[in-house]
Amino acid sequence: MAIKAVPDETVRHFLTLNDLSASEFRAIIHRAIELKAMQHRGEIYEPLKNKVLAMIFEKSSTRTRVSFETGMAQFGGHAIFLSPRDTQLGRGEPIEDSARVLSSMADCLMVRTFEHEKAELLAQYSSVPVINGLTDDVHPCQLLADMQTYFEQRGDIKGKTVTWVGDGNNMCHSYMRAAKLLEFKLNIACPEGFEPQQKFIDECRNNIEITTDVSAACTNSDLIVTDVWASMGQEEEQNTRELAFNDFQVTTELMDLAKNNALFMHCLPAHRGEEVSADVIDGSQSVVWDEAENRLHAQKALLEFLLLD
Ligand code: CP
Ligand code: NVA
């Protein structure tokens, strides 16, 4: 009998934040907050019993892997970790064939990879929802958790000012799209030559301002966010990037320019003494541990949204 998987335009994927409307984004955030409370009360809730999530990781991960695996287990389902090292993906089996086969068995796929187009190709040939667990271009799952964290701490982010300090990378691009969807202002302070990609600038230009003046960008901000100077895949650029980003460390001096109740976020893993000083990330304005925990709750809300709605 033929395998059931065929390209299906009706399947809902989560490859970027643009796959959500603003109201869906907010609904997922609010549901994540509810699921977190249920989890903390010890309530058993297993809406995905017998469902399987197949996870392809072509880059390293701690949070993304553990949050999806734990979330599926808590939901009564199961997650499978697939690495190119020990699957046929690493030996050149086409992504289209892998998509057809995996989606004929699993109920949802997750992929962390380099080229964003690879995640798109997987989705194109998958008969089940595909979740982007990070590509070179975007990291939408992290934004679900970051926005949940902001809403929990301070309420809706609409009309607030957020400052991105550092590389115009995948995290920055996802912040840009979140700014457009949730209607906040995003200041982006980055060194010359490390700006976000032009297509993201064009798409989000009404909500962003790009500058090299990191102090001006942080002044009166409600939330300061940063990320590593060299992302996965850029390891050999570490030394040149350390020089270029030297003035782009989030310090207490920068935090002091922001609003008194400003928060600090970082998707982690962090490098203390590079993109952030130890006293900021370990200080009272930092919410990085809530942010990391919320990966679990936000992605459970996402799985419910994609698999039950
Ligand atoms: N923030 C994040 O995605 O962490 P991992 O790389 O550990 O998954
Ligand atoms: N920008 C970082 C995020 C890690 C979660 C990277 O892509 O490596």
Side-chain angles (χ1 to χ4, degrees), residues 59-61 63-64 112-113 133-139 142 164 167 169-172 227-235 266-269 295:
K59 289 176 173 174
S60 304
S61 170
R63 281 145 287 269
T64 305
R112 167 169 285 199
T113 189
L134 183 145
T135 59
D136 289 345
D137 282 7
V138 288
H139 193 7
Q142 185 68 50
W164 175 266
D167 194 17
N169 63 11
N170 46 10
M171 274 298 297
C172 179
D227 188 13
V228 291
W229 290 341
S231 286
M232 288 181 276
Q234 299 172 332
E235 287 78 7
H266 189 312
C267 65
L268 307 177
R295 293 293 303 276

Side-chain angles (χ1 to χ4, degrees), residues 110-146:
M110 192 240 73
V111 61
R112 167 169 285 199
T113 189
F114 294 85
E115 305 85 2
H116 187 74
E117 295 68 29
K118 210 165 181 181
E120 288 178 336
L121 197 59
L122 190 74
Q124 196 187 328
Y125 284 87
S126 168
S127 58
V128 300
V130 174
I131 297 173
N132 178 354
L134 183 145
T135 59
D136 289 345
D137 282 7
V138 288
H139 193 7
C141 286
Q142 185 68 50
L143 262 290
L144 299 181
D146 285 27

Side-chain angles (χ1 to χ4, degrees), residues 252-269:
T252 47
E253 289 72 28
L254 279 186
M255 291 302 295
D256 287 345
L257 295 171
K259 293 213 178 111
N260 283 341
N261 69 347
L263 299 173
F264 171 77
M265 291 192 200
H266 189 312
C267 65
L268 307 177

Side-chain angles (χ1 to χ4, degrees), residues 12 17 23 43 49 122 142 147 159 164 166 177 200 263 273 290 300:
R12 200 77 201 257
L17 289 176
S23 61
E43 248 172 70
K49 222 168 173 48
L122 190 74
Q142 185 68 50
M147 291 301 103
W164 175 266
R177 286 191 167 151
F200 290 90
L263 299 173
D290 301 88
K300 283 170 75 179

